[in-house]
Amino acid sequence: MKFAPGVAKKYRKSVKDAFDAILAHGTDLQKRIAEHILESDMLVRVAPVSQVNASGVTGLIDPDGTNEKISEERLGLREALGEIYIAIAEETIDTGGQRGCEGTFVHEGRHAYDFARTIESFSNADVNPLSIFDPTLYELELEAHKISGDYMLCVNKEEYLHEGLHLMILGRESEIGACYVSDDGIHRRLRESYALDPVDNPGPRASELLGLRLK
């Protein structure tokens, strides 16, 4: 993982602390994704929310360059992660603190992981065409929301659980009962906040979002 030039030390520390927390408290999958990111050249950007337009966003550093590599090379997962950036809003860290930073990198880290799997599969399409990985936006957001809920349960602190309940990612068996990842709540959130539906509007595929071309 590398930082874009000009990222302030306090933001670098927050991001590094977030990955330390994920490695300490996350599920096996969350730890594996974090390790892949840390060992790759994935780029981290920090910018005002007016530029990011979200708490965090994931995309390609150089789409043309990535397509050129897909056409000429066979990329592994970590090499593919080096094609990707995650941008986090300064306000996410300034206002949300470590909870906001951790949550963003759990959610956007899953997107980065899935985008890297797509890039990897596209670069190997000529020899393994049946293993193309190209999820829809609905599928991408479903997995990112589920992994966020799993992380909130792993940390198991009230501020994390409260956010999960507020976002409909978590449900609670009773007023004082245990929390759980709510499939119904996530589906509702994706319909109401993202206008996504698995049947009627699954959204574009990852390759369309990234502008990728098959080998």
Side-chain angles (χ1 to χ4, degrees):
M1 181 182 75
K2 59 185 181 182
F3 289 93
V7 175
K9 287 184 179 179
K10 69 171 184 176
Y11 295 130
R12 290 173 183 252
K13 183 179 185 305
S14 291
V15 172
K16 290 176 180 177
D17 287 348
F19 276 96
D20 285 344
I22 294 167
L23 290 172
H25 304 298
T27 64
D28 288 344
L29 175 59
Q30 291 158 8
K31 291 176 182 178
R32 188 161 69 249
I33 291 172
E35 287 169 354
H36 281 310
I37 289 173
L38 289 170
E39 293 299 321
S40 76
D41 285 330
M42 193 200 79
L43 182 67
V44 174
R45 297 171 175 166
V46 182
V49 71
S50 59
Q51 295 179 25
V52 178
N53 293 320
S55 61
V57 66
T58 305
L60 289 183
I61 299 168
D62 177 7
D64 289 338
T66 300
N67 277 305
E68 185 174 339
K69 289 179 181 179
I70 287 173
S71 68
E72 297 179 355
E73 303 176 29
R74 303 201 190 286
L75 300 173
L77 181 67
R78 289 188 181 175
E79 291 171 308
L81 278 167
E83 301 298 304
I84 294 167
Y85 74 84
I86 292 177
I88 183 170
E90 294 172 352
E91 291 84 348
T92 300
I93 299 173
D94 292 338
T95 304
Q98 281 310 111
R99 175 179 54 79
C101 193
E102 289 168 34
T104 296
F105 279 99
V106 168
H107 184 106
E108 297 300 329
R110 178 65 203 232
H111 285 332
Y113 176 69
D114 286 338
F115 286 162
R117 292 168 68 197
T118 301
I119 293 167
E120 179 186 26
S121 74
F122 270 47
S123 76
N124 291 282
D126 56 334
V127 294
N128 205 357
L130 298 181
S131 295
I132 294 294
F133 179 75
D134 197 11
T136 64
L137 180 57
Y138 181 90
E139 292 167 334
L140 289 165
E141 289 297 344
L142 179 64
E143 293 305 321
H145 279 73
K146 283 185 174 181
I147 203 170
S148 295
D150 288 338
Y151 185 72
M152 292 165 179
L153 295 180
C154 286
V155 176
N156 196 31
K157 293 181 180 177
E158 192 56 39
E159 61 176 315
Y160 289 74
L161 299 178
H162 177 77
E163 181 183 33
L165 292 166
H166 174 72
L167 294 175
M168 298 186 288
I169 295 172
L170 300 181
R172 202 165 217 159
E173 295 172 0
S174 65
E175 194 170 315
I176 58 172
C179 288
Y180 59 90
V181 176
S182 174
D183 289 341
D184 289 342
I186 291 172
H187 289 306
R188 180 183 168 191
R189 176 172 170 78
L190 294 184
R191 283 196 309 270
E192 294 179 359
S193 298
Y194 292 73
L196 294 172
D197 181 90
V199 177
D200 296 328
N201 184 30
R205 293 194 172 275
S207 60
E208 298 174 72
L209 292 168
L210 299 175
L212 298 180
R213 298 187 296 273
L214 274 173
K215 177 171 291 202

